[in-house]
Amino acid sequence: MHRKQRKEEALALLRAELAVGRSATTELTTRAAWLAWVRFAQHRFGAEPSPESDGLLVQYGTYAFTGRPMFTLDLTRQFGVNDDDGEHDHYVQVHCELRYEPEPALDAAGSFDSWYFHDTDADLDQWFAAMEKRLGLLRDRGPSEIELYEEPV
């Protein structure tokens, strides 16, 4: 594991992980993005002291978030944020969204979501393996679009 970093550094760290080993001419595959996100997910951040304050989410499905239907794989890291009194205030999510042109095989995959929370008894490596298996259909594909962003929820 790595040193604990500030939550405010999360988006920059995700961008850096996605850049590892890539050149300007190398097309990003789902597998490369997944491996970068796994490295990012293994970093520990100074999250609030709560079992649900540092969560990982893998979700996918066909959605029209950008105005037209696209199969979207959203790799998300969620941090709990407390107020000055130490009470839960809100969450901040860091997203790596990979979007693919719709096609029957992707539409047939339906929708899916799965959470993992650090500081619980769940096994991170087992969760990663299960998620990677779910993403097999996308492994060697290059997304049509990729968007990295952070949002309060």
Side-chain angles (χ1 to χ4, degrees):
M1 286 292 174
H2 305 279
R3 73 168 175 86
K4 287 194 176 186
Q5 296 181 273
R6 294 177 35 243
K7 291 180 284 192
E8 296 79 14
E9 299 172 306
L11 185 58
L13 179 61
L14 177 56
R15 286 185 200 285
E17 291 293 357
L18 282 165
V20 169
R22 290 191 59 223
S23 70
T25 59
T26 306
E27 188 174 319
L28 181 71
T29 64
T30 304
R31 173 115 174 106
W34 169 253
L35 293 174
W37 192 77
V38 165
R39 289 189 305 271
F40 166 71
Q42 291 173 335
H43 284 270
R44 297 308 309 268
F45 292 84
E48 307 301 340
S50 162
E52 294 186 2
S53 67
D54 188 356
L56 307 173
L57 171 63
V58 171
Q59 57 187 342
Y60 61 74
T62 301
Y63 307 105
F65 296 137
T66 60
R68 64 186 178 100
M70 297 193 77
F71 187 86
T72 302
L73 169 61
D74 185 6
L75 307 172
T76 302
R77 181 87 178 249
Q78 177 174 280
F79 301 105
V81 178
N82 288 352
D83 62 19
D84 292 336
D85 296 325
E87 298 296 321
H88 174 76
D89 187 58
H90 66 281
Y91 292 102
V92 171
Q93 292 183 338
V94 175
H95 296 265
C96 176
E97 271 187 19
L98 302 139
R99 299 184 197 112
Y100 309 82
E101 296 300 326
E103 61 179 76
L106 295 178
D107 290 341
S111 61
F112 171 79
D113 66 84
S114 179
W115 281 97
Y116 172 88
F117 290 95
H118 285 286
D119 301 322
T120 64
D121 291 334
D123 185 286
L124 181 59
D125 290 332
Q126 286 180 353
W127 186 78
F128 281 149
M131 295 306 99
E132 188 165 353
K133 187 174 182 180
R134 294 281 313 199
L135 301 178
L137 181 63
L138 298 169
R139 182 171 294 129
D140 296 323
R141 295 174 190 253
S144 301
E145 301 172 9
I146 183 169
E147 184 176 5
L148 304 177
Y149 63 96
E150 181 177 300
E151 68 175 342
V153 292

